[in-house]
Amino acid sequence: MTLNDIPTPFYVVYENRLRRNLELISEVSRRSGAHIIMAFKANALWRSFHIVKEYCTASTASSLNELRLGREFLGGDVHSYCPAYTDATIGEFLACSSHVTFNSLSQFERFKNRVARYNAESGRHVSAGLRVNPRCSVIETDMYNPALPGSRFGVDAEALKQLPEGLEGLHFHALCESSSYDLEKVLRAFEEGFGHLLPELKWVNMGGGHLMTREGYDTEHLIQLLQDFRRRHPNLQVILEPGSAFTWRTGDLITSVVDLVENDGVKTAIVDVSFACHMPDTLEMPYKPAISESVEPAPQRPSYRLGGNSCLSGDFMGDWSFAKPLQRGQRLTLEDMNHYTTVKTTMFNGIDHPAIVLAESDAPGAPCRYLRQYTYDDYKSRMC
């Protein structure tokens, strides 16, 4: 079976692209000495984890479901961070994590005795950490900026003059699809604010947002930056937990034009997927995805909005130009749809969820197989 044999809509993951990213991440880890782990918030497609597991078995979890997924399908250490643990959840986080990071000093004070008691009684050691806020904003989109004034994430330097007993690590997360030069700015702020605590620690987690697999990313600068930090602080294990970098440009969403409408001079191609349901980040960020079949806009070329197949008025995006007028039944490839897509999709309107397909490569005619197909029962079971 090849992609042409599969009816739309479907997400496709290309194994060769995924391996290329994993190989680059592994090389950065090896050369820098940093421990790089997978963040499920960007991609939790466990049916592809047999590939990931060849390169990486450690993960980061922000919920019990992510924790269980990491243990079951990758099998390595799980570094947990949750904005707020509860009496009902902290026990399982401790039992199944290698590291547990607290978001606030009050959370740490509330559960530090549970950590100490677990470590004394279990025969294993869970390393406790604290998230800190370096107060360095390098992200333009406020919705994704954890360092904004009033942020609920992490402890400011002013509140952490000395290290509370029992804490072994600090965690900061201030990037989003960012460069190594952004990390350099944040790292400078982190050391200025919290450097006096570093000799007492065992590890520093630099969070996610390191988009090292993006074309043009300066991986040599990243490696040098991490090596220099480790030379300054030889007592520290350095941890990175990128999300998007693992699956950046490793998959697409294949859709078909199902109708063509025109109002007030605006041509809209209605497709069999939904921006709101199947590509929510395009509306939240927002950003305009690339379409493989589109061409550079020009006044003489046929141009269209794409309209999603839901009843939400704002479920559209545009405009794209094409070499020829679009036709009903024509397939379009929405690029780079394997991160922050399947983890965020909804079944609003009961719209069919796209199938998920794994292709051996992105070469035309490459063999592929279904990872998952969705039915009415999937929609019905979510409602009660």
Side-chain angles (χ1 to χ4, degrees):
M1 182 169 64
T2 69
L3 296 183
N4 289 333
D5 301 315
I6 298 176
T8 64
F10 60 91
Y11 297 98
V12 55
V13 180
Y14 305 105
E15 182 174 342
N16 64 323
R17 295 188 191 179
L18 180 58
R19 288 188 182 277
R20 182 178 61 207
N21 283 2
L22 292 166
E23 287 165 2
L24 185 148
I25 290 169
S26 297
E27 179 68 6
V28 170
S29 178
R30 184 189 67 80
R31 292 180 55 198
S32 69
H35 188 42
I36 303 180
I37 64 180
M38 185 177 185
F40 294 152
K41 66 179 181 179
N43 184 284
L45 187 55
W46 55 268
R47 293 181 190 271
S48 67
F49 284 3
H50 65 285
I51 301 169
V52 176
K53 194 173 181 178
E54 295 180 31
Y55 304 84
C56 172
T57 60
S59 60
T60 177
S62 292
S63 65
L64 289 180
N65 285 334
E66 288 186 343
L67 174 71
R68 293 163 184 165
L69 203 70
R71 295 277 290 184
E72 184 175 355
F73 292 102
L74 290 182
D77 288 346
V78 179
H79 299 237
S80 293
Y81 160 77
C82 187
Y85 303 98
T86 67
D87 289 326
T89 63
I90 188 64
E92 187 171 350
F93 274 111
L94 290 175
C96 298
S97 304
S98 58
H99 300 64
V100 171
T101 296
F102 295 92
N103 184 60
S104 66
L105 285 169
S106 61
Q107 276 268 297
F108 175 68
E109 289 297 323
R110 179 180 174 184
F111 293 115
K112 66 179 182 181
N113 290 337
R114 289 281 298 269
V115 177
R117 186 166 65 250
Y118 177 83
N119 285 343
E121 296 175 353
S122 67
R124 57 187 298 268
H125 182 79
V126 177
S127 186
L130 182 70
R131 179 165 176 170
V132 295
N133 186 346
R135 291 282 189 171
C136 180
S137 294
V138 295
I139 301 171
E140 294 182 359
T141 305
D142 285 352
M143 183 177 183
Y144 298 96
N145 186 356
L148 284 175
S151 173
R152 73 186 193 280
F153 294 130
V155 177
D156 292 342
E158 301 295 320
L160 199 64
K161 297 299 185 183
Q162 59 185 18
L163 195 70
E165 185 178 355
L167 280 177
E168 297 183 343
L170 294 182
H171 170 116
F172 66 85
H173 179 84
L175 304 178
C176 178
E177 298 184 356
S178 303
S179 71
S180 61
Y181 298 93
D182 292 324
L183 173 61
E184 186 172 32
K185 296 174 186 175
V186 173
L187 197 54
R188 187 180 305 119
F190 169 72
E191 290 189 87
E192 288 173 359
F194 304 96
H196 63 290
L197 303 175
L198 299 186
E200 304 175 58
L201 297 173
K202 293 183 178 180
W203 53 268
V204 166
N205 187 326
M206 299 183 184
H210 314 272
L211 195 47
M212 61 189 76
T213 52
R214 177 169 54 191
E215 185 178 0
Y217 185 101
D218 193 339
T219 54
E220 291 300 323
H221 179 253
L222 174 65
I223 291 167
Q224 188 66 54
L225 195 65
L226 296 174
Q227 288 175 339
D228 290 346
F229 181 86
R230 293 182 65 239
R231 274 192 287 270
R232 292 195 298 275
H233 309 286
N235 57 304
L236 295 177
Q237 180 189 46
V238 174
I239 304 159
L240 277 67
E241 48 182 48
S244 296
F246 274 77
T247 50
W248 183 262
R249 296 201 65 80
T250 60
D252 302 322
L253 177 55
I254 313 300
T255 184
S256 292
V257 177
V258 292
D259 197 14
L260 297 158
V261 299
E262 183 172 354
N263 280 298
D264 299 320
V266 176
K267 294 180 180 178
T268 299
I270 299 177
V271 291
D272 57 3
V273 292
S274 162
F275 291 97
C277 297
H278 308 135
M279 300 167 277
D281 263 8
T282 63
L283 302 182
E284 290 177 6
M285 279 292 280
Y287 78 95
K288 180 182 171 184
I291 295 179
S292 299
E293 295 79 8
S294 65
V295 296
E296 287 296 317
Q300 71 274 18
R301 287 175 173 162
S303 297
Y304 301 84
R305 286 180 180 173
L306 291 194
N309 200 17
S310 81
C311 68
L312 178 68
S313 297
D315 189 4
F316 71 88
M317 186 162 288
D319 293 300
W320 287 270
S321 296
F322 298 87
K324 297 179 181 179
L326 295 180
Q327 304 294 321
R328 292 179 185 85
Q330 182 174 342
R331 290 192 174 199
L332 300 176
T333 304
L334 294 159
E335 297 181 3
D336 198 18
M337 291 292 166
N338 194 29
H339 61 96
Y340 288 107
T341 48
T342 50
V343 290
K344 299 179 76 171
T345 56
T346 73
M347 290 185 173
F348 170 66
N349 261 179
I351 294 174
D352 286 341
H353 194 288
I356 304 176
V357 173
L358 178 67
E360 287 185 5
S361 78
D362 51 5
C368 63
R369 61 183 174 89
Y370 282 109
L371 296 182
R372 177 72 190 274
Q373 293 174 274
Y374 296 84
T375 67
Y376 164 67
D377 285 339
D378 293 298
Y379 172 67
K380 183 177 70 171
S381 66
R382 290 181 61 160
M383 298 300 107
C384 62

